Short mmCIF file of all heavy atoms in Angstrom, two decimals:
data_model
loop_
_atom_site.label_atom_id
_atom_site.label_comp_id
_atom_site.label_asym_id
_atom_site.label_seq_id
_atom_site.Cartn_x
_atom_site.Cartn_y
_atom_site.Cartn_z
N GLU A 144 -21.03 65.49 91.66
CA GLU A 144 -21.10 66.16 90.39
C GLU A 144 -21.11 67.66 90.52
O GLU A 144 -20.45 68.37 89.75
CB GLU A 144 -22.39 65.71 89.61
CG GLU A 144 -22.31 64.28 89.08
CD GLU A 144 -21.12 64.10 88.17
OE1 GLU A 144 -20.84 65.00 87.32
OE2 GLU A 144 -20.45 63.05 88.26
N ALA A 145 -21.85 68.16 91.53
CA ALA A 145 -21.86 69.59 91.75
C ALA A 145 -20.46 70.05 92.15
O ALA A 145 -19.99 71.13 91.75
CB ALA A 145 -22.86 69.93 92.81
N GLY A 146 -19.80 69.20 92.96
CA GLY A 146 -18.42 69.55 93.37
C GLY A 146 -17.49 69.57 92.16
O GLY A 146 -16.54 70.35 92.13
N ARG A 147 -17.73 68.57 91.24
CA ARG A 147 -16.87 68.53 90.07
C ARG A 147 -16.98 69.86 89.30
O ARG A 147 -15.97 70.45 88.87
CB ARG A 147 -17.30 67.38 89.15
CG ARG A 147 -16.39 67.23 87.90
CD ARG A 147 -17.11 66.45 86.80
NE ARG A 147 -17.51 65.11 87.28
CZ ARG A 147 -16.72 64.06 87.21
NH1 ARG A 147 -15.50 64.18 86.76
NH2 ARG A 147 -17.16 62.89 87.64
N ALA A 148 -18.25 70.31 89.02
CA ALA A 148 -18.45 71.56 88.30
C ALA A 148 -17.78 72.71 89.02
O ALA A 148 -17.18 73.60 88.42
CB ALA A 148 -19.94 71.82 88.09
N ALA A 149 -17.96 72.72 90.39
CA ALA A 149 -17.38 73.80 91.17
C ALA A 149 -15.87 73.77 91.11
O ALA A 149 -15.21 74.80 90.98
CB ALA A 149 -17.85 73.72 92.63
N ARG A 150 -15.29 72.55 91.14
CA ARG A 150 -13.86 72.40 91.08
C ARG A 150 -13.34 72.81 89.71
O ARG A 150 -12.27 73.40 89.59
CB ARG A 150 -13.42 70.97 91.45
CG ARG A 150 -13.61 70.61 92.92
CD ARG A 150 -13.01 69.28 93.25
NE ARG A 150 -13.69 68.18 92.62
CZ ARG A 150 -14.83 67.62 93.12
NH1 ARG A 150 -15.32 68.07 94.22
NH2 ARG A 150 -15.37 66.59 92.51
N GLU A 151 -14.10 72.45 88.67
CA GLU A 151 -13.67 72.80 87.33
C GLU A 151 -13.73 74.36 87.19
O GLU A 151 -12.82 74.95 86.61
CB GLU A 151 -14.60 72.16 86.29
CG GLU A 151 -14.38 70.67 86.11
CD GLU A 151 -15.34 70.03 85.17
OE1 GLU A 151 -16.30 70.74 84.72
OE2 GLU A 151 -15.18 68.85 84.84
N GLU A 152 -14.78 74.96 87.72
CA GLU A 152 -14.87 76.41 87.69
C GLU A 152 -13.74 77.05 88.50
O GLU A 152 -13.14 78.08 88.11
CB GLU A 152 -16.24 76.87 88.18
CG GLU A 152 -16.44 78.40 88.29
CD GLU A 152 -16.36 79.09 86.96
OE1 GLU A 152 -16.39 78.40 85.93
OE2 GLU A 152 -16.24 80.32 86.96
N ALA A 153 -13.44 76.42 89.70
CA ALA A 153 -12.39 76.92 90.50
C ALA A 153 -11.03 76.83 89.79
O ALA A 153 -10.21 77.70 89.90
CB ALA A 153 -12.36 76.15 91.84
N GLU A 154 -10.87 75.74 89.05
CA GLU A 154 -9.62 75.52 88.36
C GLU A 154 -9.51 76.55 87.20
O GLU A 154 -8.44 77.11 86.95
CB GLU A 154 -9.54 74.11 87.77
CG GLU A 154 -8.34 73.85 86.89
CD GLU A 154 -7.05 73.99 87.69
OE1 GLU A 154 -7.02 74.00 88.90
OE2 GLU A 154 -5.97 74.01 86.98
N ARG A 155 -10.67 76.80 86.54
CA ARG A 155 -10.65 77.81 85.46
C ARG A 155 -10.29 79.17 86.03
O ARG A 155 -9.47 79.92 85.45
CB ARG A 155 -12.06 77.86 84.80
CG ARG A 155 -12.10 78.87 83.63
CD ARG A 155 -13.51 79.07 83.17
NE ARG A 155 -14.27 79.87 84.13
CZ ARG A 155 -14.19 81.24 84.20
NH1 ARG A 155 -13.35 81.88 83.36
NH2 ARG A 155 -14.88 81.88 85.09
N LEU A 156 -10.91 79.50 87.18
CA LEU A 156 -10.63 80.78 87.81
C LEU A 156 -9.19 80.85 88.28
O LEU A 156 -8.55 81.90 88.23
CB LEU A 156 -11.56 81.04 88.97
CG LEU A 156 -13.04 81.24 88.59
CD1 LEU A 156 -13.89 81.37 89.83
CD2 LEU A 156 -13.22 82.49 87.71
N ARG A 157 -8.64 79.73 88.76
CA ARG A 157 -7.27 79.69 89.24
C ARG A 157 -6.31 79.96 88.03
O ARG A 157 -5.36 80.75 88.18
CB ARG A 157 -6.95 78.34 89.84
CG ARG A 157 -5.54 78.27 90.48
CD ARG A 157 -5.21 76.87 90.85
NE ARG A 157 -5.14 75.97 89.72
CZ ARG A 157 -4.08 75.94 88.86
NH1 ARG A 157 -3.04 76.71 89.05
NH2 ARG A 157 -4.09 75.12 87.82
N GLN A 158 -6.59 79.29 86.93
CA GLN A 158 -5.75 79.52 85.75
C GLN A 158 -5.87 80.98 85.26
O GLN A 158 -4.87 81.57 84.85
CB GLN A 158 -6.17 78.53 84.65
CG GLN A 158 -5.82 77.08 84.97
CD GLN A 158 -6.27 76.17 83.88
OE1 GLN A 158 -6.81 76.54 82.87
NE2 GLN A 158 -5.99 74.87 84.08
N LEU A 159 -7.13 81.46 85.25
CA LEU A 159 -7.30 82.88 84.89
C LEU A 159 -6.53 83.77 85.81
O LEU A 159 -5.86 84.72 85.33
CB LEU A 159 -8.82 83.21 84.96
CG LEU A 159 -9.20 84.66 84.75
CD1 LEU A 159 -8.95 85.07 83.28
CD2 LEU A 159 -10.68 84.89 85.12
N GLN A 160 -6.59 83.50 87.08
CA GLN A 160 -5.88 84.32 88.06
C GLN A 160 -4.39 84.28 87.84
O GLN A 160 -3.71 85.28 87.91
CB GLN A 160 -6.26 83.83 89.48
CG GLN A 160 -6.08 84.86 90.55
CD GLN A 160 -7.23 85.83 90.65
OE1 GLN A 160 -8.23 85.65 89.92
NE2 GLN A 160 -7.16 86.86 91.44
N GLU A 161 -3.89 83.09 87.59
CA GLU A 161 -2.43 82.92 87.39
C GLU A 161 -1.97 83.68 86.15
O GLU A 161 -0.99 84.38 86.18
CB GLU A 161 -2.08 81.41 87.29
CG GLU A 161 -2.05 80.69 88.58
CD GLU A 161 -1.52 79.30 88.44
OE1 GLU A 161 -1.22 78.89 87.29
OE2 GLU A 161 -1.39 78.58 89.47
N GLU A 162 -2.68 83.43 85.03
CA GLU A 162 -2.28 84.11 83.78
C GLU A 162 -2.46 85.62 83.88
O GLU A 162 -1.62 86.37 83.44
CB GLU A 162 -3.06 83.54 82.61
CG GLU A 162 -2.58 84.06 81.28
CD GLU A 162 -3.30 83.39 80.12
OE1 GLU A 162 -4.02 82.40 80.33
OE2 GLU A 162 -3.16 83.84 78.95
N GLY A 163 -3.61 86.03 84.49
CA GLY A 163 -3.86 87.44 84.66
C GLY A 163 -2.84 88.08 85.56
O GLY A 163 -2.37 89.17 85.28
N TYR A 164 -2.48 87.39 86.64
CA TYR A 164 -1.54 88.00 87.59
C TYR A 164 -0.14 88.13 86.95
O TYR A 164 0.58 89.11 87.23
CB TYR A 164 -1.46 87.16 88.86
CG TYR A 164 -0.60 87.80 89.95
CD1 TYR A 164 -1.08 88.86 90.66
CD2 TYR A 164 0.67 87.29 90.22
CE1 TYR A 164 -0.32 89.48 91.62
CE2 TYR A 164 1.46 87.91 91.20
CZ TYR A 164 0.95 89.00 91.89
OH TYR A 164 1.71 89.55 92.87
N ALA A 165 0.24 87.14 86.10
CA ALA A 165 1.47 87.25 85.42
C ALA A 165 1.56 88.52 84.55
O ALA A 165 2.53 89.25 84.47
CB ALA A 165 1.74 85.99 84.58
N LYS A 166 0.40 88.77 83.88
CA LYS A 166 0.32 90.00 83.06
C LYS A 166 0.27 91.24 83.91
O LYS A 166 0.78 92.30 83.57
CB LYS A 166 -0.93 89.93 82.16
CG LYS A 166 -0.80 88.92 81.03
CD LYS A 166 -1.94 89.08 80.03
CE LYS A 166 -1.76 88.14 78.80
NZ LYS A 166 -2.81 88.35 77.81
N LYS A 167 -0.35 91.10 85.10
CA LYS A 167 -0.42 92.21 86.00
C LYS A 167 0.98 92.66 86.47
O LYS A 167 1.27 93.88 86.51
CB LYS A 167 -1.25 91.84 87.23
CG LYS A 167 -1.35 92.96 88.30
CD LYS A 167 -2.25 92.53 89.44
CE LYS A 167 -2.39 93.69 90.46
NZ LYS A 167 -3.30 93.34 91.56
N LEU A 168 1.86 91.69 86.70
CA LEU A 168 3.22 92.05 87.10
C LEU A 168 3.89 92.85 86.01
O LEU A 168 4.66 93.78 86.26
CB LEU A 168 4.00 90.80 87.42
CG LEU A 168 3.54 89.96 88.64
CD1 LEU A 168 4.36 88.69 88.80
CD2 LEU A 168 3.61 90.80 89.86
N THR A 169 3.65 92.46 84.75
CA THR A 169 4.17 93.21 83.59
C THR A 169 3.60 94.62 83.60
O THR A 169 4.39 95.62 83.31
CB THR A 169 3.88 92.50 82.28
OG1 THR A 169 4.40 91.17 82.31
CG2 THR A 169 4.42 93.24 81.06
N LEU A 170 2.31 94.73 83.84
CA LEU A 170 1.67 96.07 83.89
C LEU A 170 2.24 96.93 84.99
O LEU A 170 2.43 98.13 84.86
CB LEU A 170 0.18 95.93 84.05
CG LEU A 170 -0.59 95.38 82.83
CD1 LEU A 170 -2.05 95.15 83.18
CD2 LEU A 170 -0.47 96.31 81.65
N ILE A 171 2.51 96.28 86.17
CA ILE A 171 3.07 97.02 87.28
C ILE A 171 4.44 97.59 86.89
O ILE A 171 4.74 98.74 87.13
CB ILE A 171 3.19 96.09 88.53
CG1 ILE A 171 1.77 95.84 89.09
CG2 ILE A 171 4.08 96.74 89.58
CD1 ILE A 171 1.78 94.84 90.25
N ALA A 172 5.25 96.72 86.29
CA ALA A 172 6.58 97.17 85.85
C ALA A 172 6.48 98.29 84.83
O ALA A 172 7.20 99.33 84.91
CB ALA A 172 7.37 96.02 85.25
N LYS A 173 5.56 98.13 83.89
CA LYS A 173 5.33 99.16 82.84
C LYS A 173 4.82 100.46 83.50
O LYS A 173 5.32 101.53 83.17
CB LYS A 173 4.34 98.66 81.81
CG LYS A 173 4.05 99.65 80.72
CD LYS A 173 3.06 99.09 79.71
CE LYS A 173 2.70 100.08 78.62
NZ LYS A 173 1.72 99.59 77.65
N GLY A 174 3.82 100.35 84.38
CA GLY A 174 3.23 101.51 85.03
C GLY A 174 4.30 102.25 85.88
O GLY A 174 4.34 103.51 85.86
N THR A 175 5.06 101.51 86.62
CA THR A 175 6.11 102.11 87.47
C THR A 175 7.13 102.84 86.63
O THR A 175 7.54 103.95 86.97
CB THR A 175 6.80 101.04 88.33
OG1 THR A 175 5.81 100.38 89.13
CG2 THR A 175 7.88 101.63 89.22
N GLN A 176 7.55 102.19 85.52
CA GLN A 176 8.50 102.86 84.63
C GLN A 176 7.93 104.11 83.99
O GLN A 176 8.57 105.15 83.88
CB GLN A 176 8.95 101.88 83.51
CG GLN A 176 9.96 102.44 82.56
CD GLN A 176 11.26 102.86 83.21
OE1 GLN A 176 11.66 102.31 84.24
NE2 GLN A 176 11.96 103.80 82.60
N LEU A 177 6.63 104.01 83.59
CA LEU A 177 5.97 105.19 82.96
C LEU A 177 5.91 106.34 83.98
O LEU A 177 6.16 107.51 83.57
CB LEU A 177 4.58 104.80 82.51
CG LEU A 177 4.50 104.03 81.18
CD1 LEU A 177 3.06 103.60 80.94
CD2 LEU A 177 4.97 104.87 80.01
N MET A 178 5.52 106.07 85.18
CA MET A 178 5.43 107.14 86.17
C MET A 178 6.77 107.74 86.46
O MET A 178 6.92 108.97 86.67
CB MET A 178 4.81 106.61 87.45
CG MET A 178 3.34 106.21 87.30
SD MET A 178 2.25 107.52 86.72
CE MET A 178 2.10 108.51 88.22
N LYS A 179 7.81 106.91 86.50
CA LYS A 179 9.20 107.42 86.68
C LYS A 179 9.55 108.33 85.52
O LYS A 179 10.13 109.44 85.71
CB LYS A 179 10.17 106.22 86.75
CG LYS A 179 11.60 106.63 86.90
CD LYS A 179 12.46 105.35 87.06
CE LYS A 179 13.99 105.72 87.19
NZ LYS A 179 14.52 106.24 85.95
N GLU A 180 9.25 107.85 84.29
CA GLU A 180 9.58 108.72 83.12
C GLU A 180 8.77 109.99 83.11
O GLU A 180 9.27 111.04 82.74
CB GLU A 180 9.29 107.90 81.84
CG GLU A 180 10.23 106.73 81.63
CD GLU A 180 9.85 105.83 80.48
OE1 GLU A 180 8.78 106.15 79.87
OE2 GLU A 180 10.53 104.89 80.17
N LYS A 181 7.52 109.93 83.55
CA LYS A 181 6.71 111.13 83.60
C LYS A 181 7.24 112.14 84.61
O LYS A 181 7.24 113.33 84.35
CB LYS A 181 5.24 110.77 83.95
CG LYS A 181 4.49 110.08 82.80
CD LYS A 181 3.09 109.69 83.17
CE LYS A 181 2.39 108.97 82.01
NZ LYS A 181 2.19 109.80 80.83
N ARG A 182 7.66 111.66 85.74
CA ARG A 182 8.24 112.57 86.74
C ARG A 182 9.50 113.22 86.20
O ARG A 182 9.74 114.42 86.39
CB ARG A 182 8.56 111.78 88.05
CG ARG A 182 7.30 111.48 88.84
CD ARG A 182 7.65 110.94 90.24
NE ARG A 182 8.24 109.61 90.14
CZ ARG A 182 7.52 108.49 90.23
NH1 ARG A 182 6.23 108.56 90.29
NH2 ARG A 182 8.13 107.30 90.13
N GLU A 183 10.36 112.43 85.56
CA GLU A 183 11.58 113.00 84.98
C GLU A 183 11.24 113.96 83.87
O GLU A 183 11.87 115.02 83.76
CB GLU A 183 12.44 111.85 84.43
CG GLU A 183 12.99 110.91 85.52
CD GLU A 183 13.71 109.73 84.94
OE1 GLU A 183 13.61 109.48 83.69
OE2 GLU A 183 14.37 108.97 85.71
N ARG A 184 10.25 113.63 83.07
CA ARG A 184 9.83 114.50 81.96
C ARG A 184 9.24 115.82 82.54
O ARG A 184 9.48 116.88 81.95
CB ARG A 184 8.82 113.81 81.07
CG ARG A 184 8.26 114.65 79.95
CD ARG A 184 9.33 115.09 79.01
NE ARG A 184 8.80 115.87 77.88
CZ ARG A 184 9.51 116.73 77.15
NH1 ARG A 184 10.75 116.92 77.43
NH2 ARG A 184 8.92 117.39 76.15
N ALA A 185 8.57 115.71 83.66
CA ALA A 185 7.97 116.91 84.25
C ALA A 185 9.06 117.88 84.67
O ALA A 185 8.92 119.12 84.51
CB ALA A 185 7.10 116.54 85.41
N VAL A 186 10.13 117.34 85.24
CA VAL A 186 11.26 118.20 85.64
C VAL A 186 11.89 118.89 84.42
O VAL A 186 12.14 120.07 84.43
CB VAL A 186 12.32 117.38 86.41
CG1 VAL A 186 13.55 118.21 86.66
CG2 VAL A 186 11.72 116.88 87.71
N THR A 187 12.11 118.11 83.37
CA THR A 187 12.68 118.63 82.14
C THR A 187 11.75 119.67 81.56
O THR A 187 12.18 120.75 81.07
CB THR A 187 12.92 117.49 81.12
OG1 THR A 187 13.82 116.52 81.71
CG2 THR A 187 13.48 118.04 79.82
N LEU A 188 10.47 119.35 81.51
CA LEU A 188 9.49 120.31 80.90
C LEU A 188 9.42 121.62 81.67
O LEU A 188 9.31 122.68 81.07
CB LEU A 188 8.09 119.64 80.86
CG LEU A 188 7.81 118.76 79.67
CD1 LEU A 188 6.42 118.12 79.86
CD2 LEU A 188 7.83 119.56 78.39
N THR A 189 9.54 121.54 82.98
CA THR A 189 9.48 122.74 83.79
C THR A 189 10.60 123.67 83.43
O THR A 189 10.44 124.88 83.25
CB THR A 189 9.59 122.43 85.29
OG1 THR A 189 8.47 121.56 85.67
CG2 THR A 189 9.52 123.67 86.17
N ASN A 190 11.80 123.11 83.22
CA ASN A 190 12.94 123.92 82.80
C ASN A 190 12.76 124.43 81.39
O ASN A 190 13.09 125.62 81.06
CB ASN A 190 14.23 123.11 82.85
CG ASN A 190 14.59 122.69 84.29
OD1 ASN A 190 14.27 123.42 85.25
ND2 ASN A 190 15.25 121.55 84.46
N GLU A 191 12.21 123.62 80.48
CA GLU A 191 12.01 124.02 79.11
C GLU A 191 10.96 125.13 79.01
O GLU A 191 11.10 126.08 78.18
CB GLU A 191 11.57 122.81 78.23
CG GLU A 191 12.69 121.82 78.05
CD GLU A 191 12.30 120.62 77.19
OE1 GLU A 191 11.05 120.56 76.85
OE2 GLU A 191 13.11 119.77 76.92
N VAL A 192 9.92 125.04 79.83
CA VAL A 192 8.90 126.07 79.83
C VAL A 192 9.46 127.41 80.32
O VAL A 192 9.20 128.49 79.75
CB VAL A 192 7.70 125.65 80.75
CG1 VAL A 192 6.77 126.85 80.98
CG2 VAL A 192 6.93 124.55 80.10
N GLU A 193 10.31 127.38 81.32
CA GLU A 193 10.93 128.58 81.85
C GLU A 193 11.83 129.18 80.72
O GLU A 193 11.81 130.43 80.54
CB GLU A 193 11.77 128.24 83.05
CG GLU A 193 10.95 127.90 84.27
CD GLU A 193 11.80 127.55 85.47
OE1 GLU A 193 13.05 127.52 85.31
OE2 GLU A 193 11.24 127.28 86.55
N GLU A 194 12.62 128.38 80.06
CA GLU A 194 13.46 128.89 79.00
C GLU A 194 12.63 129.40 77.83
O GLU A 194 12.95 130.49 77.22
CB GLU A 194 14.41 127.74 78.51
CG GLU A 194 15.32 128.13 77.36
CD GLU A 194 16.25 129.29 77.69
OE1 GLU A 194 16.52 129.49 78.88
OE2 GLU A 194 16.69 129.95 76.73
N ALA A 195 11.53 128.66 77.45
CA ALA A 195 10.70 129.12 76.37
C ALA A 195 10.00 130.44 76.70
O ALA A 195 9.85 131.32 75.82
CB ALA A 195 9.66 128.04 76.06
N SER A 196 9.63 130.62 77.95
CA SER A 196 9.01 131.86 78.41
C SER A 196 10.01 133.02 78.30
O SER A 196 9.64 134.15 77.88
CB SER A 196 8.47 131.73 79.83
OG SER A 196 7.48 130.75 79.86
N ARG A 197 11.23 132.79 78.75
CA ARG A 197 12.27 133.82 78.65
C ARG A 197 12.48 134.22 77.21
O ARG A 197 12.55 135.39 76.84
CB ARG A 197 13.56 133.30 79.29
CG ARG A 197 14.70 134.37 79.31
CD ARG A 197 16.01 133.70 79.65
NE ARG A 197 16.39 132.71 78.65
CZ ARG A 197 16.87 133.03 77.43
NH1 ARG A 197 16.99 134.30 77.07
NH2 ARG A 197 17.19 132.08 76.60
N LEU A 198 12.58 133.22 76.28
CA LEU A 198 12.81 133.51 74.89
C LEU A 198 11.62 134.27 74.27
O LEU A 198 11.80 135.21 73.49
CB LEU A 198 12.99 132.20 74.13
CG LEU A 198 13.25 132.32 72.63
CD1 LEU A 198 14.51 133.15 72.34
CD2 LEU A 198 13.37 130.92 71.95
#
Side-chain angles (χ1 to χ4, degrees):
E144 287 303 319
R147 183 202 302 274
R150 288 188 294 277
E151 289 176 352
E152 176 63 12
E154 177 62 16
R155 185 191 71 81
L156 292 176
R157 185 191 63 78
Q158 292 179 359
L159 173 69
Q160 204 80 6
E161 283 188 356
E162 187 174 350
Y164 187 73
K166 289 190 174 184
K167 179 177 183 175
L168 295 178
T169 301
L170 289 174
I171 289 175
K173 179 180 178 181
T175 300
Q176 180 63 25
L177 282 174
M178 294 302 285
K179 178 177 179 291
E180 292 174 358
K181 287 179 183 295
R182 285 189 290 271
E183 292 173 351
R184 177 59 178 159
V186 173
T187 301
L188 276 174
T189 300
N190 295 330
E191 290 180 356
V192 167
E193 291 177 357
E194 177 61 23
S196 297
R197 183 193 61 76
L198 180 60

